Amino acid sequence: MTWQTHQIHNQFDELKDYNLLSTDAPLQEALARAGAQPFVEQLAQYGATLGRAETYTLADQANRYTPEFKPFDGRGRRLDQVEFHPSWHTLMALYREQGLIDLPFSDTRAGRWSAWAAGFFLHSQIEAGTMCPATMTQAAIPVIEREPALWAAHKDQLYSRAYDARDLPMAQKQSIWIGMGMTEKQGGSDVRANTTQATPVGAGGRGGEYTLRGHKWFFSAPMCDAHLVVAKTADGAPTCFFVPRWRPDGSKNPVQVQRLKGKVGNRSNSSSEVEFQDAYGIMMGEEGRGIPTIIEMASYTRLNCVVGSAAMVRQGLVQGLAYTRQREAFGKRLVNQPLMRAVLTDLALENEANVVLMMRLAQAYERGDDPTERAWKRVMTPAAKFWVCKRAVELTGETMEVFGGNGYVDDGIMGRLFREAPVNSIWEGSGNVMCLDVMRAIGRDPASAMTLLEELGTAGGDDPRIRAELKGLQAMLAEPPEHLEALGRRFTERLALVAQACLLRQHAPAFVADAFVQTRLDPYWGRIVGSLDIRHLAVDAILSRAYPA
């Protein structure tokens, strides 16, 4: 006798086999505004590839079968190797083949930065860990470009679309990945507290050889072909060094991996602790200019964090909409339950606001260095990183709850999104660091900050709520610096929200912009997702635009 106590019904898997770009109206519109039409066909093909069930399976495998550290070979020789599941290599190759790592620098066509942001956004929805080496490699390109010898040796490898996973000296490889090693135990974000020492071999100086002795508490990712590292020279000045995995003579560089980090999320990617045992390195830039080098790189990596977090919110929203349109509870489809509609509407508005903000930032990186664009890069990048990354932590938890208990198990993507979200808020400067960075940027260049607010005022039009919010921000800027620093989180949150509101007023359909302004500039909004009054919002239009039924 075969026992069967129930029939399985009203159960639905996560959404798969769809095109991530063709179902994303706000992203398509942003690409058109940026003049990125020459890139759209390839991005659409990539969106279809990423949406396949097979790609979701690769992402699950890469996070389920995590990197394994191999310190020695079978005879005791030091290896310091990290082995990955084949799915990791397939996903890394998939991204590299798109040419997105070098696109903003190797291409000169209009819309290249927007096309890059779109591609990064699409891939990050499916698997985020592979984006860590991609982000660091991309951010390293403009820094390495200013070092003639390094650039001549490695330009073609940085621009290459071939994926080369072999652990060999760089001269023998088709393409390379660049990692970063900044953080030490005692300092965290305070890189000036670093203690790693750099000693010249011979004359030293820019482009000269050094030996490095010390440690790094976070070293990502250890199998990269080289890392950009901050160490102090004899006079205590923080300086940047290019530290390859292999010495020029073909011997293993003594960057000894102590262990891999057991992280909450980002499990497909390896992060490590290392010791430099007189490791070989090359000075980059002028001695003592390591901090400005980091800041330049961080301007790029922080943008990536914004795009990556927006991607997680997008994936959670799309999965939630697809699920609630099928699942029934208490005699109705979940999507028709009033409270669920409020939650989904809140998520959809957040997604649309994230997209216009990240794509406007991408345009700022392409347009040059006039005062307005400089303010977008210097002020709005850390503001967006603070707000979008913080919100992603809360919103991925909410989208996981849409699936109930099914969202809390590891058989699907929802739990992985939730675990992944905090890393972008922490990496490359935590929330407080971002707010302080906003305050410092405004303090150093108040004129460009006012230019930014003026541009937002123009974009926001005659909306009295937006004008009142901008006036409130200007009043906050008149506070003494010691008072404004303590208000950093409040100021940065309000700045990010009003920027999103202005951009939506300028670019989104009226029913989206109206709903965002009505909810986000309501003093009662924000205590919890979905606690908004949807009675006068175009809910059906908002949800249909977010992901077509």
Side-chain angles (χ1 to χ4, degrees):
M1 178 179 180
T2 301
W3 284 94
Q4 187 168 345
T5 61
H6 64 284
Q7 297 291 327
I8 298 174
H9 68 284
N10 201 29
Q11 287 280 356
F12 304 97
D13 297 328
E14 286 88 348
L15 177 67
K16 296 172 184 175
D17 291 321
Y18 73 106
N19 189 310
L20 276 68
L21 180 59
S22 65
T23 55
D24 192 338
L27 185 60
Q28 293 179 74
E29 292 168 8
L31 287 167
R33 285 196 302 273
Q37 290 89 341
F39 304 97
V40 169
E41 182 178 353
Q42 180 183 341
L43 287 168
Q45 293 173 355
Y46 196 37
T49 298
L50 289 166
R52 292 173 185 162
E54 295 87 347
T55 312
Y56 275 91
T57 299
L58 289 171
D60 176 73
Q61 290 173 340
N63 285 271
R64 190 177 301 275
Y65 306 109
T66 55
E68 185 177 354
F69 176 41
K70 299 287 187 183
F72 303 100
D73 69 8
R75 293 297 177 265
R77 291 178 286 266
R78 192 82 197 189
L79 292 176
D80 289 305
Q81 287 185 338
V82 180
E83 294 184 355
F84 295 87
H85 188 270
S87 57
W88 166 268
H89 295 295
T90 301
L91 289 165
M92 290 278 281
L94 188 63
Y95 188 78
R96 186 109 205 189
E97 289 164 1
Q98 304 305 309
L100 291 165
I101 290 173
D102 62 282
L103 175 63
F105 308 110
S106 62
D107 205 309
T108 59
R109 289 174 290 177
R112 60 190 180 276
W113 271 98
S114 296
W116 160 79
F120 194 95
F121 182 72
L122 297 174
H123 189 108
S124 296
Q125 290 182 50
I126 308 303
E127 209 293 303
T130 42
M131 295 292 90
C132 180
T135 291
M136 295 184 294
T137 303
Q138 177 191 346
I141 287 175
V143 178
I144 296 173
E145 191 174 13
R146 287 197 294 274
E147 304 301 321
L150 285 175
W151 185 242
H154 302 302
K155 174 185 176 181
D156 291 344
Q157 295 168 313
L158 288 165
Y159 282 4
S160 174
R161 295 189 177 190
Y163 177 62
D164 191 341
R166 296 175 299 167
D167 185 17
L168 295 171
M170 285 190 291
Q172 302 176 35
K173 298 195 65 174
Q174 292 178 280
S175 64
I176 57 174
W177 299 89
I178 307 296
M180 295 168 64
M182 309 296 174
T183 306
E184 296 185 8
K185 296 182 180 75
Q186 70 284 346
S189 296
D190 183 7
V191 179
R192 293 187 185 277
N194 283 6
T195 61
T196 296
Q197 294 293 313
T199 303
V201 177
R206 185 169 186 170
E209 298 181 0
Y210 283 74
T211 58
L212 276 65
R213 182 177 297 182
H215 81 280
K216 294 298 171 184
W217 186 233
F218 279 92
F219 193 75
S220 297
M223 289 304 291
C224 286
D225 298 286
H227 288 76
L228 301 190
V229 169
V230 170
K232 289 185 174 180
T233 50
D235 62 358
T239 304
C240 187
F241 294 88
F242 182 88
V243 181
R245 181 165 166 77
W246 296 84
R247 289 191 182 109
D249 64 6
S251 62
K252 171 74 173 56
N253 204 6
V255 179
Q256 193 169 97
V257 178
Q258 303 301 297
R259 62 170 176 168
L260 299 186
K261 296 288 193 180
K263 296 170 292 183
V264 172
N266 200 246
R267 295 178 179 175
S268 66
N269 176 50
S270 61
S271 301
S272 63
E273 300 167 24
V274 301
E275 286 188 355
F276 301 124
Q277 300 180 353
D278 288 342
Y280 169 87
I282 299 171
M283 181 184 286
M284 298 183 64
E286 299 299 331
E287 185 171 352
R289 298 290 295 170
I291 302 300
T293 300
I294 296 169
I295 290 173
E296 179 183 355
M297 290 185 65
S299 71
Y300 296 109
T301 55
R302 289 171 179 175
L303 174 61
N304 289 43
C305 289
V306 173
V307 179
S309 288
M312 294 178 209
V313 174
R314 171 68 186 174
Q315 181 65 192
L317 166 66
V318 169
Q319 292 294 344
L321 280 169
Y323 185 72
T324 57
R325 286 169 177 162
Q326 301 174 86
R327 176 83 169 176
E328 291 187 1
F330 309 108
K332 289 183 181 180
R333 293 284 174 92
L334 269 177
V335 74
N336 294 325
Q337 296 284 4
L339 276 175
M340 183 60 76
R341 287 168 68 79
V343 169
L344 293 171
T345 300
D346 215 355
L347 294 168
L349 293 173
E350 193 94 12
N351 166 71
E352 183 122 13
N354 287 344
V355 170
V356 291
L357 181 57
M358 76 181 195
M359 296 301 273
R360 175 62 183 89
L361 279 171
Q363 287 182 293
Y365 281 76
E366 181 175 319
R367 286 176 174 174
D369 202 34
D370 65 61
T372 301
E373 303 307 325
R374 186 167 61 248
W376 272 96
K377 288 186 285 188
R378 190 67 187 89
V379 178
M380 284 305 306
T381 298
K385 182 184 181 302
F386 170 77
W387 180 244
V388 176
C389 297
K390 283 287 184 194
R391 291 288 290 166
V393 178
E394 179 179 359
L395 298 180
T396 52
E398 197 68 51
T399 55
M400 183 170 61
E401 189 172 325
V402 168
F403 282 73
N406 287 337
Y408 195 64
V409 297
D410 272 340
D411 293 335
I413 193 174
M414 307 310 293
R416 185 166 79 247
L417 291 173
F418 180 67
R419 288 193 306 271
E420 197 76 44
V423 70
N424 284 335
S425 188
I426 297 169
W427 189 53
E428 294 298 60
S430 61
N432 284 349
V433 171
M434 290 303 96
C435 294
L436 290 171
D437 207 19
V438 170
M439 299 297 103
R440 280 193 293 265
I442 292 172
R444 289 170 181 166
D445 192 359
S448 66
M450 295 306 294
T451 301
L452 172 62
L453 292 179
E454 289 170 6
E455 183 193 279
L456 292 175
T458 300
D462 295 326
D463 191 306
R465 293 161 295 189
I466 290 177
R467 289 196 172 278
E469 190 65 17
L470 288 169
K471 187 176 181 180
L473 286 172
Q474 290 173 335
M476 290 182 75
L477 289 176
E479 292 283 341
E482 63 272 15
H483 293 171
L484 188 57
E485 181 174 321
L487 295 170
R489 285 193 172 218
R490 177 174 293 189
F491 179 88
T492 304
E493 175 183 341
R494 291 177 67 181
L495 176 62
L497 279 171
V498 78
Q500 290 178 325
C502 291
L503 291 169
L504 288 173
R505 183 61 74 199
Q506 185 177 26
H507 299 303
F511 64 84
V512 172
D514 289 344
F516 187 88
V517 172
Q518 181 177 327
T519 56
R520 269 54 182 177
L521 302 186
D522 178 346
Y524 291 100
W525 173 82
R527 293 189 175 99
I528 193 169
V529 176
S531 59
L532 43 76
D533 185 352
I534 62 171
R535 290 175 295 176
H536 305 295
L537 305 184
V539 173
D540 288 331
I542 291 169
L543 298 185
S544 179
R545 176 174 167 81
Y547 181 74

